[in-house]
Amino acid sequence: TEVVEAVGNEELVLASWQDGAKDKIINWVDATTTEGSPDFIPVADRIAVFDNDGTLWSEQPMYFQLAFAIDEVKRMAPEHPEWKNNASIAALLNGDMQGFLSGGEKALLQTVAITHTGMSTQEFDSHVKNWIKTATHPKTGKHYNEMIFQPMLELLDFLRANEFKTFIVSGGGIDFMRAWAEEAYGIPPYQVVGSMMGLTYVDSTASPELRKTPELFFNDDKAGKPVGIARAIGKRPVFAAGNSDGDYQMLQYTSTGDGARFGMYIHHTDSVREVAYDRESHIGQLNKGLDDAAKYNWMIVDMAKDWKVIYPYEMK
Amino acid sequence: TEVVEAVGNEELVLASWQDGAKDKIINWVDATTTEGSPDFIPVADRIAVFDNDGTLWSEQPMYFQLAFAIDEVKRMAPEHPEWKNNASIAALLNGDMQGFLSGGEKALLQTVAITHTGMSTQEFDSHVKNWIKTATHPKTGKHYNEMIFQPMLELLDFLRANEFKTFIVSGGGIDFMRAWAEEAYGIPPYQVVGSMMGLTYVDSTASPELRKTPELFFNDDKAGKPVGIARAIGKRPVFAAGNSDGDYQMLQYTSTGDGARFGMYIHHTDSVREVAYDRESHIGQLNKGLDDAAKYNWMIVDMAKDWKVIYPYEMK
Ligand SMILES: [Ca+2]
Ligand SMILES: [Ca+2]
């Protein structure tokens, strides 16, 4: 097809996707980018949005941003002897994850606050960059940014080669993702939409900076995703990919627009090469999305069956 | 120079700028885009931000967005007999601008609320598009989107030809600008940063939409501009242009970053071809910016002297 030719070598297009799923994607891109096609979408409207955790990279056994926060608590603890007086943080520092998690949402939010705020955006950015260079995943032993999904990288490339703009729209923290997303996915900071804490401009010194403050400014999840899209992108997407019920409204908003649309759910079905989970999972629960996939014509990607490889390092 | 050649015909580069000002811009772009130059800026960091009102288009005798709001009140009034009970709005409908303005900020905010919210983003977008097609400026008789600054269009083009990404960062309403900025300036919606009211995702019908609600979500002015930049762009700009003290922090944040930077103030000095105003003006006041221009090495563009033409229609 034309779109495949546009990318160059046909064998390289979506190379890690099995034929059935691959054909669906290629046919849709072909239909929407061929002039004169009834489904043609002008270049200016080719907006594609991607959830991040569980859609572009793994998210088990815990969101990688939470792993970062926990590692940061440990790294910063020597400068903060007062943290020993906080039961949840003290449990964390003693390696007692049960004790930490028993602190519930309050403990989690505290952990995020002390590791993500009270510093400049520039300092936070270098903390994340240092962590992603050094930390490794407990199961695979790989750096977290090596645990991105090879088939999704190919999908991002394929869409961009066909003049789609690719955006991340994630419940994760916007500054956390921006520190590594450009290198990992080729998605620049201004195409990353995410949850946001407070920010204050401080110009009391010769080098003004933005300080991160602990109040929640915007929660880019569930019904917040279409809101985040409207605020940051200002166009209704024509293509959306997610993996959980947190993406339901984003896919719904995308698929109910006029004209050709593509909604995709990544279904974590591969207990051998990754982790199998869906309706009952505490992380990345996918329940309502599975129920309503047919109604909205969403493609369910079966990771075990549709993906030849999961991670880029499997190809070496 | 290399950068001029990149654009093509040398005579077309910044053609409406007089030589002195033109040379300063070209020399800086040359220094920052020539590989091996000590001031070289990688493509990924070539972020340029522009205020809108008074920087990319005119803003007298009132912000054009306010003219839109007033026209909308008049257009919508027949459906809203209850507005007659509101003294400020009633004054406006009777053509009594003094009476309307005596209502102060409260009357202005009410006017914005009833014309900018209580509808979907899509409806609002078509209201703005209809207005910009039909309304004309009281002094020039031109459509408002014809009153954009020709030299600034050339500057946007020149920067983009040299692989800068151009963003609007304005105190104006984000949805108002997005309705026409892509056509007027070649700046797509996802490169427009502005002030924002509330937004709610409503999926109670088969075609979900985003409803605009009247609370202020973000004020993208003064110290809010660096905050808006950090949130929406996620990189510190290397080039910034503004025209008022509302842009002071944006220019300061830009100019105090590491490496080569360019800050520019458009100084409204042309009482014949446009309007002359600065330190004492109620609209677009430029006072502190003039005082500190030398300190930050900001270029002051003297519209009367540095611009051969103001508006594109003068060239026909
Ligand atoms: Ca997810
Ligand atoms: Ca202005």
Side-chain angles (χ1 to χ4, degrees):
Chain A
T1 72
E2 275 183 49
V3 290
V4 171
E5 284 157 22
V7 183
N9 189 330
E10 185 162 351
E11 283 168 28
L12 295 178
V13 171
L14 302 179
S16 304
W17 292 75
Q18 300 288 2
D19 283 347
K22 185 202 291 201
D23 295 343
K24 275 187 196 160
I25 298 168
I26 290 177
N27 290 342
W28 184 85
V29 171
D30 205 15
T32 55
T33 59
T34 304
E35 284 214 50
S37 154
D39 290 329
F40 180 73
I41 300 172
V43 169
D45 294 327
R46 293 186 196 161
I47 305 292
V49 291
F50 292 80
D51 168 60
N52 182 44
D53 298 306
T55 298
L56 294 180
W57 73 351
S58 289
E59 60 182 350
Q60 298 278 6
M62 67 173 87
Y63 291 126
F64 293 177
Q65 189 177 358
L66 180 57
F68 162 75
I70 290 172
D71 288 347
E72 285 289 282
V73 167
K74 292 175 183 164
R75 183 183 67 77
M76 295 162 75
E79 298 156 48
H80 295 276
E82 75 279 10
W83 288 355
K84 289 188 188 116
N85 304 322
N86 179 316
S88 301
I89 304 296
L92 187 64
L93 291 170
N94 291 326
D96 170 16
M97 277 302 284
Q98 284 296 96
F100 168 65
L101 292 172
S102 71
E105 194 170 357
K106 194 182 156 203
L108 286 176
L109 290 178
Q110 272 186 340
T111 308
V112 170
I114 60 180
T115 55
H116 286 63
T117 69
M119 64 195 84
S120 74
T121 51
Q122 208 168 340
E123 287 169 307
F124 179 74
D125 186 70
S126 60
H127 293 173
V128 178
K129 286 192 165 95
N130 283 336
W131 176 80
I132 212 133
K133 253 194 299 206
T134 54
T136 53
H137 187 272
K139 189 177 146 195
T140 65
K142 299 288 178 181
H143 293 296
Y144 289 95
N145 58 351
E146 295 178 276
M147 295 180 66
I148 56 183
F149 299 140
Q150 174 64 28
M152 297 306 278
L153 296 180
E154 295 167 7
L155 176 56
L156 289 168
D157 280 345
F158 180 58
L159 289 172
R160 288 193 289 247
N162 286 285
E163 297 185 81
F164 287 79
K165 287 266 172 192
T166 54
F167 292 82
I168 292 174
V169 178
S170 167
I174 195 167
D175 296 331
F176 175 76
M177 293 184 283
R178 282 170 166 169
W180 51 269
E182 188 156 22
E183 194 188 323
Y185 306 132
I187 296 180
Y190 43 88
Q191 286 167 218
V192 175
V193 184
S195 294
M196 297 185 269
M197 317 285 278
L199 266 190
T200 306
Y201 184 62
V202 179
D203 62 356
S204 50
T205 71
S207 50
E209 60 184 17
L210 290 147
R211 303 284 298 175
K212 289 170 67 68
T213 58
E215 73 277 12
L216 180 67
F217 177 69
F218 182 65
N219 185 14
D220 191 51
D221 199 23
K222 301 192 176 74
K225 288 206 175 192
V227 172
I229 288 168
R231 291 203 188 292
I233 305 177
K235 294 203 174 194
R236 195 166 189 152
V238 295
F239 185 106
N243 79 301
S244 82
D245 286 348
D247 303 309
Y248 186 94
Q249 287 88 347
M250 174 169 84
L251 266 68
Q252 182 189 51
Y253 180 58
T254 300
S255 295
T256 53
D258 294 334
R261 305 282 160 149
F262 202 113
M264 169 189 290
Y265 260 127
I266 308 303
H267 191 189
H268 289 262
T269 51
D270 196 322
S271 62
V272 178
R273 297 183 300 174
E274 207 231 7
V275 188
Y277 59 97
D278 50 29
R279 293 182 187 270
E280 305 293 328
S281 178
H282 288 294
I283 293 173
Q285 181 178 48
L286 178 60
N287 186 34
K288 196 160 179 262
L290 287 175
D291 290 343
D292 290 352
K295 174 180 171 188
Y296 290 113
N297 196 27
W298 293 333
M299 173 177 173
I300 303 292
V301 175
D302 182 330
M303 284 176 73
K305 291 189 186 149
D306 291 330
W307 286 2
K308 295 182 191 172
V309 298
I310 307 286
Y311 302 120
Y313 59 77
E314 295 170 32
M315 304 177 75
K316 282 166 191 164
Chain B
T1 72
E2 274 183 50
V3 292
V4 171
E5 284 158 21
V7 183
N9 190 330
E10 185 162 350
E11 283 168 29
L12 295 178
V13 172
L14 303 179
S16 303
W17 291 75
Q18 300 288 1
D19 283 347
K22 185 201 294 202
D23 294 343
K24 273 186 198 160
I25 299 168
I26 290 177
N27 290 342
W28 184 84
V29 171
D30 206 14
T32 54
T33 59
T34 303
E35 285 215 49
S37 154
D39 289 329
F40 181 73
I41 299 171
V43 169
D45 294 327
R46 293 185 198 161
I47 304 293
V49 291
F50 292 80
D51 170 60
N52 182 45
D53 297 306
T55 299
L56 295 180
W57 73 353
S58 288
E59 60 181 350
Q60 298 280 5
M62 67 174 89
Y63 292 126
F64 293 177
Q65 189 177 357
L66 181 58
F68 162 74
I70 291 171
D71 287 347
E72 284 291 280
V73 167
K74 292 175 184 164
R75 183 183 67 76
M76 295 160 76
E79 298 156 50
H80 295 274
E82 75 279 9
W83 288 354
K84 289 187 188 119
N85 304 322
N86 179 316
S88 301
I89 305 294
L92 187 64
L93 291 170
N94 292 327
D96 171 14
M97 276 303 283
Q98 285 296 96
F100 169 66
L101 291 172
S102 72
E105 193 170 1
K106 194 182 156 203
L108 286 176
L109 289 177
Q110 273 185 339
T111 308
V112 170
I114 61 180
T115 55
H116 286 64
T117 69
M119 64 195 82
S120 73
T121 50
Q122 210 169 337
E123 287 168 308
F124 179 75
D125 185 70
S126 60
H127 294 174
V128 179
K129 287 192 164 96
N130 284 336
W131 175 81
I132 212 132
K133 254 194 298 207
T134 54
T136 53
H137 187 270
K139 189 177 147 196
T140 66
K142 299 287 179 183
H143 294 296
Y144 289 94
N145 58 352
E146 295 178 276
M147 294 180 64
I148 56 183
F149 299 140
Q150 175 63 28
M152 296 307 277
L153 296 180
E154 295 166 7
L155 177 55
L156 289 169
D157 279 346
F158 180 58
L159 289 172
R160 289 192 289 247
N162 286 284
E163 297 184 84
F164 287 79
K165 287 267 172 191
T166 54
F167 292 81
I168 293 174
V169 177
S170 167
I174 195 166
D175 295 332
F176 176 76
M177 293 185 283
R178 282 170 167 168
W180 51 268
E182 188 156 22
E183 195 187 322
Y185 306 132
I187 296 180
Y190 43 87
Q191 286 167 218
V192 176
V193 184
S195 293
M196 297 184 269
M197 316 285 278
L199 266 191
T200 307
Y201 183 63
V202 179
D203 62 357
S204 50
T205 71
S207 49
E209 60 184 17
L210 289 147
R211 302 285 298 177
K212 289 170 66 70
T213 59
E215 73 278 10
L216 180 68
F217 177 69
F218 181 66
N219 184 13
D220 191 50
D221 199 22
K222 300 190 176 74
K225 289 206 173 192
V227 172
I229 288 168
R231 291 203 188 292
I233 305 177
K235 293 202 175 195
R236 195 166 189 151
V238 295
F239 184 106
N243 78 302
S244 83
D245 287 347
D247 304 308
Y248 186 95
Q249 287 88 347
M250 175 169 83
L251 267 69
Q252 182 188 52
Y253 179 57
T254 300
S255 295
T256 52
D258 295 332
R261 305 283 161 149
F262 201 113
M264 169 189 289
Y265 259 127
I266 308 303
H267 191 189
H268 289 262
T269 51
D270 197 322
S271 63
V272 178
R273 297 183 299 172
E274 207 231 7
V275 188
Y277 58 98
D278 49 29
R279 293 182 187 271
E280 306 293 329
S281 178
H282 288 293
I283 293 173
Q285 182 178 46
L286 179 61
N287 187 32
K288 196 162 180 259
L290 288 175
D291 290 342
D292 290 351
K295 173 179 170 186
Y296 290 112
N297 196 28
W298 293 333
M299 173 176 172
I300 303 292
V301 175
D302 182 329
M303 283 176 72
K305 293 190 184 149
D306 291 330
W307 286 2
K308 296 183 189 170
V309 298
I310 307 286
Y311 302 119
Y313 60 77
E314 294 169 33
M315 303 179 75
K316 283 167 193 163

